[in-house]
Amino acid sequence: MERQEIMRRFAEAAGNPLSYARAWKERTGRKVIGSFPMNFPGELAHAAGALPMILQETDDPITAGHGVLFPFYCGFTRSMVDQAMRGEFDVLDAIMFGDHCVQLLGAADGIRMHLTKTRVIFFQLISSMCDPWTQGRSEESFAKLRAELEDFIGEAVADDAMHASIRLFNRNRALIRKLYDMRKKGTAPLGAIEMQHVVKSSMIMDKAEHTDLLQQLVAQFEGAKATPNRAVRLHLSGHFCQAPKPELLEMIEECGVVVVGDDLYHGFRYISTDVPEEGPPVSALARWYMDRNTGVPCPTRVQNNVDWDAYLLDAIRDERADGMIVLMAKFCEPHMYYYPEVKEAFEKAGVPHLLIETEHEGMALESLKTRVETFVEIVKRREAA
Amino acid sequence: MNRHVMGVDFGSTTAKTVILDLSGNIVAHSVAHMGAVSGDGVKQSMKDALEEAGLAQSDMGRVVATGYGRRMLDEADKNYTEITCHARGAVAMVPGARLVIDIGGQDSKVISVDSNGLVAQFAMNDRCAAGTGKFLEVLARAVEIGLEELGDTALQAREKLKISSMCATFAETEVISLLAEGHPKTDVLGAVHAAIAMRTLGLVGRVGKKGPVVMTGGVAKNPAAVHYIQQALEMPLILPKTPQIAGALGAALIGLDDYRAENKHLFISEHEDMAREEQMAADKACIPGCRGVPELAVDPFEKQPPKGKLKSLLGTIQNHI
Ligand code: SF4
């Protein structure tokens, strides 16, 4: 398949996840299980024969959801509740909720109260990542999740099926990581929106279908020569539960920027770490959960021996990036609390960065463009000086 | 090679043009007022500056645009944002400045500058007109007073009132109710300017307070705004003579940098120029040191040894002899 056609399929699923789910359900007659970001192992629902999909924020203005969540909740949680209230989640047979932050917990409660017919699977993951009991507690959580899932589908999920799902998901992640590597080297000149479509569609589409398309896409860049690019090389950081709006990414690139790396959830954070393929699958998932926080540290987790800021400075060195743009979703508390540390570390290291606060309700793009252009001018002039 | 460069600040309500010679001296500048961003206003401003300088557009070696309309100017070779240009212009006007507060018609920005005069950090109003010239304009209308008298009237304030809303529309409602309560216009306007100052202080907090502080932009011409901002900052503000042209000046200076870098081989310093002339005269003379009057000729090699590279070259030759 041609690159354009593959990208079109990815963009279509990324742009309208629930339509994809409806079509898949009609085609297969199987169950669709939606989940909240960022720590659910889709492998479990996949092994149970369902379509696991990570629920996505939409661009629609919040209407019905206003009655459930205060406007000072982040855009992702407000959009989740709003979609639920408007009946958009009817296609979902079950929703898996977690509580990686207080706002997510509020959204889960709001949805739970309104979608009385949808099965809700709720579980908590330990947020302290380096205690002697972290692995054990994580295993307990994943075992409970597996039991709930089995109860929901009415049959046991075999270890073999879980191993097969783990292998498929690992393959999918490895292919996307390969694309990241190629982009860094310049052999796969994928724009920021294209990269988002690749990752976001992986959160939505049937994993086997997605992996097959990915394989074809990667093959097209294999052996390609690096295309020289004179634009300013930047790393994009932040944005956890929601994908940055494509128009924002487009605007950033229009300012003479090439994005060479990211740690966005709708980016490298999602595919950074594989699940061990050996041993009991539940222990492997617990290991994955813990390893992910060393792969790309997350400010919603607590781990004394990893620093997100140190990770970012390393990533920037490795990507030969000239600086970083931080995309912070308005009212995202975990990010707001951690950002001062990133700011301090970057200022100390003399690496330029620009903070952009994003909003569900839309942004004054023209004014933001002036800020990004100024940032690009600063980076260029500093290099020239 | 052209001997001048031009900087144009295509702002939201005014257009400013600065023409520099190749040594960076301002040859001409102009400010044209427009209703809104308009191509005609910019053309007028450029025309006025060219007329003042006695030059034509084709005499410009480089034209750099800045401001809201920077991408719309056909004559511009390059464009830079108003933040980069204002910082550059303000530091040129006030050498050593480390913080630039620029309040214009549609936006307000605070820029911190490092010791090399490069932008270190910046913050700007990115949501609404709060703390900008527009905010003052709306509230001047609510008080039914001309923009020109605004500052002087506000300076006569006696009682401290408070306007808490940062949104121009809501602030207007507050102003109207304060007037309805019987407060004099002077006090109400004092509160309006104090509100602008607090908003500016917020922006300063985002980039870090340091001095010397220079204020540019149209609002720098409003004495009450300056007074209240100084009070809030607890620091003096340095006001350049022509605060409105800082952006255009910065654009012209950046244009000059680029033009110089591109034509490096054509630029020679005064010192090099003199040395070259002497060398040429020496080369042409049949009697050493003769400049057309042989009897007055002084052998430059004996009495006035040439400097720099030429000297060492001659030294080497003499040693060889
Ligand atoms: S982590 Fe941030 S974006 Fe995600 S739900 Fe919590 S507040 Fe919202």
Side-chain angles (χ1 to χ4, degrees):
Chain A
M1 203 182 292
E2 289 285 313
R3 174 183 162 187
Q4 275 89 345
E5 178 54 17
I6 301 172
M7 290 311 303
R8 193 195 60 75
R9 300 258 303 261
F10 287 161
E12 198 174 84
N16 207 335
L18 296 169
S19 298
Y20 178 89
R22 268 181 216 108
W24 183 90
K25 198 170 177 172
E26 226 175 272
R27 201 167 65 235
T28 61
R30 303 212 305 261
K31 289 188 165 61
V32 178
I33 301 182
S35 78
F36 270 7
M38 294 185 281
N39 298 308
F40 280 98
E43 288 87 337
L44 264 176
H46 183 267
L51 173 73
M53 73 180 287
I54 294 167
L55 299 174
Q56 305 290 332
E57 179 178 358
T58 67
D59 268 352
D60 301 326
I62 311 293
T63 51
H66 265 318
V68 181
L69 286 189
F70 287 110
F72 52 76
Y73 272 65
C74 73
F76 174 77
T77 46
R78 285 185 295 126
S79 173
M80 282 300 106
V81 170
D82 196 61
Q83 289 180 65
M85 303 284 291
R86 286 191 285 110
E88 302 282 336
F89 289 162
D90 289 355
V91 63
L92 306 176
D93 297 284
I95 304 184
M96 303 201 291
F97 288 130
D99 67 338
H100 72 235
C101 77
V102 178
Q103 303 191 28
L104 212 59
L105 197 59
D109 279 342
I111 295 173
R112 209 163 20 178
M113 275 179 335
H114 286 90
L115 296 189
T116 42
K117 289 197 195 93
T118 310
R119 173 72 178 252
V120 167
I121 302 170
F122 186 84
F123 86 128
Q124 281 178 299
L125 274 168
I126 183 166
S127 57
S128 166
M129 305 302 282
C130 51
D131 287 325
W133 52 84
T134 307
Q135 169 85 22
R137 289 282 301 278
S138 309
E139 281 181 21
E140 272 170 34
S141 299
F142 286 126
K144 188 171 158 269
L145 182 62
R146 180 181 183 172
E148 279 215 40
L149 209 59
E150 288 173 337
D151 175 58
F152 169 62
I153 56 164
E155 57 184 90
V157 180
D159 275 6
D160 280 354
M162 278 182 63
H163 275 132
S165 297
I166 287 172
R167 279 195 299 275
L168 176 63
F169 276 56
N170 279 351
R171 171 96 191 111
N172 189 275
R173 283 185 280 252
L175 284 164
I176 301 180
R177 283 200 301 271
K178 192 156 188 184
L179 277 180
Y180 263 87
D181 201 44
M182 289 168 145
R183 174 170 80 160
K184 192 165 66 187
K185 292 188 180 120
T187 52
L190 290 168
I193 297 178
E194 287 180 302
M195 209 50 155
Q196 181 184 101
H197 287 158
V198 169
V199 179
K200 194 175 172 189
S201 56
S202 168
M203 297 173 167
I204 296 155
M205 287 172 74
D206 180 285
K207 223 31 130 188
E209 182 190 356
H210 193 266
T211 308
D212 180 44
L213 290 172
L214 260 184
Q215 234 156 280
Q216 296 181 48
L217 183 66
V218 169
Q220 300 194 14
F221 296 120
E222 216 95 58
K225 279 212 180 82
T227 17
N229 194 329
R230 287 168 54 85
V232 167
R233 296 168 68 89
L234 292 186
H235 177 99
L236 282 188
S237 174
H239 252 243
F240 304 127
C241 304
Q242 62 278 78
K245 288 182 195 288
E247 56 267 34
L248 178 67
L249 299 176
E250 190 179 7
M251 179 277 280
I252 290 174
E253 288 182 326
E254 270 171 19
C255 296
V257 167
V258 57
V259 177
V260 287
D262 69 59
D263 60 300
L264 309 167
Y265 177 58
H266 287 76
F268 195 73
R269 184 180 293 281
Y270 178 64
I271 46 94
S272 73
T273 311
D274 284 342
V275 182
E277 293 182 5
E278 307 300 323
V282 164
S283 315
L285 289 176
R287 188 68 250 163
W288 163 80
Y289 169 64
M290 291 166 71
D291 288 347
R292 276 180 82 221
N293 205 49
T294 1
V296 180
C298 179
T300 67
R301 312 287 89 183
V302 182
Q303 189 163 1
N304 296 337
N305 55 350
V306 296
D307 270 335
W308 188 25
D309 35 307
Y311 162 83
L312 288 172
L313 284 169
D314 273 352
I316 277 167
R317 238 166 272 135
D318 177 54
E319 291 155 4
R320 290 181 296 110
D322 304 307
M324 171 172 85
I325 292 186
V326 175
L327 301 176
M328 183 193 282
K330 192 168 181 158
F331 300 125
C332 174
E333 280 174 8
H335 199 177
M336 280 155 63
Y337 286 140
Y338 202 104
Y339 170 68
E341 284 189 41
V342 173
K343 182 176 189 282
E344 203 183 310
F346 271 63
E347 278 171 5
K348 213 162 148 192
V351 179
H353 83 282
L354 174 75
L355 170 69
I356 292 182
E357 198 184 46
T358 66
E359 286 184 49
H360 173 84
E361 278 70 22
M363 296 154 281
L365 272 188
E366 191 50 38
S367 152
L368 276 182
K369 192 169 187 184
T370 299
R371 293 174 53 198
V372 176
E373 279 181 355
T374 307
F375 180 64
V376 169
E377 287 166 13
I378 291 175
V379 171
K380 281 189 180 164
R381 294 221 152 231
R382 277 185 186 270
E383 276 173 3
Chain B
M1 190 178 73
N2 289 315
R3 314 295 303 178
H4 295 89
V5 294
M6 181 186 262
V8 183
D9 183 354
F10 198 151
S12 55
T13 51
T14 51
K16 290 80 84 176
T17 302
V18 166
I19 297 176
L20 298 179
D21 65 19
L22 296 187
S23 306
N25 301 310
I26 299 181
V27 173
H29 73 267
S30 75
V31 178
H33 293 269
M34 326 176 266
V37 176
S38 103
D40 292 346
V42 178
K43 293 269 157 11
Q44 190 59 47
S45 153
M46 291 163 72
K47 196 167 152 251
D48 291 350
L50 285 168
E51 265 171 23
E52 190 191 326
L55 296 164
Q57 191 65 45
S58 55
D59 294 326
M60 299 300 118
R62 185 62 39 105
V63 179
V64 170
T66 186
Y68 276 107
R70 62 186 178 276
R71 295 186 212 100
M72 287 150 58
L73 193 69
D74 294 339
E75 288 84 353
D77 302 299
K78 276 190 175 179
N79 67 72
Y80 288 87
T81 65
E82 44 273 37
I83 296 163
T84 300
C85 293
H86 272 273
R88 183 70 197 271
V91 173
M93 287 170 162
V94 182
R98 298 298 296 273
L99 199 69
V100 181
I101 295 177
D102 178 88
I103 308 185
Q106 297 275 336
D107 68 11
S108 55
K109 40 195 172 287
V110 174
I111 312 160
S112 82
V113 178
D114 68 13
S115 49
N116 301 316
L118 294 173
V119 177
Q121 281 194 56
F122 62 93
M124 62 191 287
N125 68 317
D126 42 13
R127 291 220 162 70
C128 64
T132 69
K134 193 86 198 156
F135 183 79
L136 284 178
E137 217 180 290
V138 170
L139 299 177
R141 215 182 314 129
V143 182
E144 292 174 335
I145 201 165
L147 263 180
E148 324 70 50
E149 317 153 59
L150 192 66
D152 290 330
T153 315
L155 280 179
Q156 292 163 32
R158 293 282 163 269
E159 196 193 339
K160 256 194 185 169
L161 300 174
K162 202 171 172 189
I163 289 181
S164 38
S165 183
M166 279 300 168
C167 162
T169 312
F170 292 147
E172 194 176 355
T173 325
E174 280 189 61
V175 161
I176 292 166
S177 56
L178 284 173
L179 291 172
E181 281 168 27
H183 292 285
K185 283 181 182 180
T186 47
D187 291 350
V188 174
L189 284 177
V192 165
H193 285 79
I196 286 237
M198 289 323 283
R199 179 75 190 184
T200 308
L201 191 63
L203 289 180
V204 170
R206 273 158 64 183
V207 303
K209 186 166 141 182
K210 56 184 170 180
V213 193
V214 49
M215 184 170 172
T216 61
V219 176
K221 292 200 153 208
N222 174 329
V226 173
H227 166 79
Y228 281 100
I229 294 173
Q230 290 192 137
Q231 210 170 52
L233 266 183
E234 296 171 328
M235 279 169 101
L237 293 178
I238 305 170
L239 303 174
K241 265 199 217 104
T242 43
Q244 276 171 297
I245 63 161
L249 173 62
L253 285 168
I254 292 172
L256 182 59
D257 286 349
D258 287 353
Y259 194 55
R260 275 173 168 279
E262 223 166 78
N263 298 291
K264 219 188 265 165
H265 57 291
L266 298 174
F267 277 87
I268 47 170
S269 69
E270 232 170 83
H271 174 75
E272 281 172 330
D273 204 16
M274 271 169 58
R276 197 179 282 192
E277 253 182 42
E278 275 189 12
Q279 180 69 58
M280 270 164 60
D283 289 349
K284 278 186 199 153
C286 23
I287 296 175
C290 171
R291 294 183 178 216
V293 191
E295 50 279 28
L296 294 180
V298 178
D299 187 345
F301 300 157
E302 276 176 18
K303 297 272 166 61
Q304 294 167 309
K307 293 164 196 161
K309 277 185 191 157
L310 189 59
K311 179 183 167 189
S312 60
L313 178 70
L314 284 168
T316 318
I317 296 169
Q318 274 166 356
N319 286 346
H320 276 288
I321 294 169

